[in-house]
Structures are given as structure tokens and as C-alpha cells.
Amino acid sequence: MAVSTPIADIGWAAAPFKLKGTDGNFHTLQELAGPKGTLVMFICNHCPYVKAILPRIIRDARELQALGIHTVAINSNDASTYPEDSFANMKRLDVALDLPFHYLLDDTQDVARAYDAVCTPDFYGFDADLRLQYRGRLDASRKEAAPEDAPRELFDAMRLIAQYGYGPAEQHPSMGCSIKWREDAPQHQASR
């Protein structure tokens, strides 16, 4: 079932984390943050919404790096029920696509809860002070990629954040598959 992200709480401070990456090392938000801003996204391997836009995510992450924006991807899905989202498969995807960002595993799902993540993909655009300025979609894509000439909403928002420190006034929610919560995990409730 597809879900959409809630209205963003602009100005919210990014929750810190320390997570294991596909490179085998643990990484913190502080070390991965960009000098002009940081894009934190919740993705996974199996979701058709993510698969439809992954080439565009990779393109945008590479282009944003040149603007001083660093990108971080987090997988919080329960791999026991979705084996395609396992850490081993995350490493395979990273190598196969030469991801230009760290791909981190949130196996406790604590980071997804701290961010009130609801779906894959779920995008959070932070300014240089790690304050939220954008929570919207990549573009008009759904389970199929939008036309090539579709406005690059996420990229344009992050470019604005890099240049001026704030995102666009109008933001369209992201849509995707729900985060696959572990059965033993507390019920997720958005608080922002």
C-alpha cells in the first residue's frame, strides 16, 4: 500500500545517528554532513518506487555533491520479512551501481522513528546547520519514472538550500511503500 509523507516541520533539527554502512564502517550524521547541506533519504532495495527513480537519485546525488550538499541513504526495513533489503543485498546494490553516497543500515529502526520516516523513498533536505528545509518528493515519479523533462523538485530544492539556506515554499509529499516495521517494534506514530 502506498503512503505519502506528512507536512514538513521546517526548521526541525536533524536527529543524530551512528549506523553501519555498506563499506563495513560506522558513520555519524556529523561526519557525513555537507558544508552547504545534507540530504538524508530513507530507501531500500525492493521498493518499486525506489527502483523507478534510483538512477535519478544517483544522478542528483552526484550533481549535489558539487554544490556542497552531501547525500546519505538509510535502509530501515525489516529484512527478516523482506530479504531483498538485507545488509548483504545492500552491499551488492552499492557495488553494482557504484552509489555516490553512503548506504547505511538502521537495523533497530530507531533512526526511522526519530525522523518519523513513513515510506521509501522519504527525503529530508537539511541546511548547513542540519535544520530541515525540505521534505518532499524527488519529482512526479511514482512506480514508473516521470518523463525525462519533469521538474527536478528535490534537486532544485537542495540547490536553493545550498545557495540561500532555505527550501521552496511549495513542497509536494513523497510517495512510496511503507517502511517495513518489525513486528516486535513499537507502533510508529508521526509526531512532527
Side-chain angles (χ1 to χ4, degrees):
M1 180 171 96
V3 294
S4 295
T5 56
I7 300 298
D9 185 8
I10 299 301
W12 169 73
F17 56 73
K18 183 177 183 181
L19 297 172
K20 187 175 184 179
T22 52
D23 62 357
N25 298 315
F26 283 85
H27 301 278
T28 66
L29 173 62
Q30 288 298 329
E31 88 179 57
L32 298 179
K36 297 281 191 172
T38 307
L39 171 62
V40 175
M41 57 186 173
F42 289 83
I43 67 170
C44 67
N45 291 11
H46 90 274
C47 173
Y49 292 87
V50 173
K51 286 179 177 180
I53 62 171
L54 196 51
R56 293 178 186 191
I57 290 173
I58 292 168
R59 171 202 67 193
D60 288 359
R62 285 197 173 109
E63 292 181 22
L64 288 170
Q65 192 163 15
L67 301 177
I69 301 280
H70 291 180
T71 301
V72 180
I74 300 173
N75 176 7
S76 300
N77 277 355
D78 177 11
S80 68
T81 53
Y82 287 84
E84 192 176 343
D85 293 335
S86 71
F87 189 66
N89 284 326
M90 289 172 59
K91 291 196 299 190
R92 284 188 197 96
L93 182 74
D94 184 5
V95 169
L97 299 179
D98 189 25
L99 297 177
F101 45 78
H102 287 281
Y103 193 13
L104 310 177
L105 177 63
D106 175 24
D107 56 349
T108 65
Q109 302 185 320
D110 290 343
V111 178
R113 282 193 288 280
Y115 279 73
D116 286 331
V118 296
C119 62
T120 56
D122 204 342
F123 299 102
Y124 297 78
F126 296 98
D127 62 21
D129 297 322
L130 292 174
R131 294 281 178 181
L132 186 68
Q133 300 298 328
Y134 183 76
R135 186 174 184 193
R137 63 189 185 181
L138 181 98
D139 60 21
S141 298
R142 294 290 189 234
K143 283 187 183 178
E144 298 81 29
E148 283 297 320
D149 61 351
R152 294 173 67 184
E153 296 170 42
L154 175 67
F155 179 82
D156 291 341
M158 295 308 297
R159 183 172 54 191
L160 199 63
I161 291 167
Q163 290 176 335
Y164 302 108
Y166 58 83
E170 185 178 349
Q171 302 182 10
H172 302 283
S174 187
M175 178 182 280
C177 298
S178 64
I179 297 281
K180 306 311 181 199
W181 301 102
R182 293 192 335 245
E183 285 190 26
D184 61 344
Q187 285 298 316
H188 175 73
Q189 293 184 349
S191 60
R192 266 179 263 304

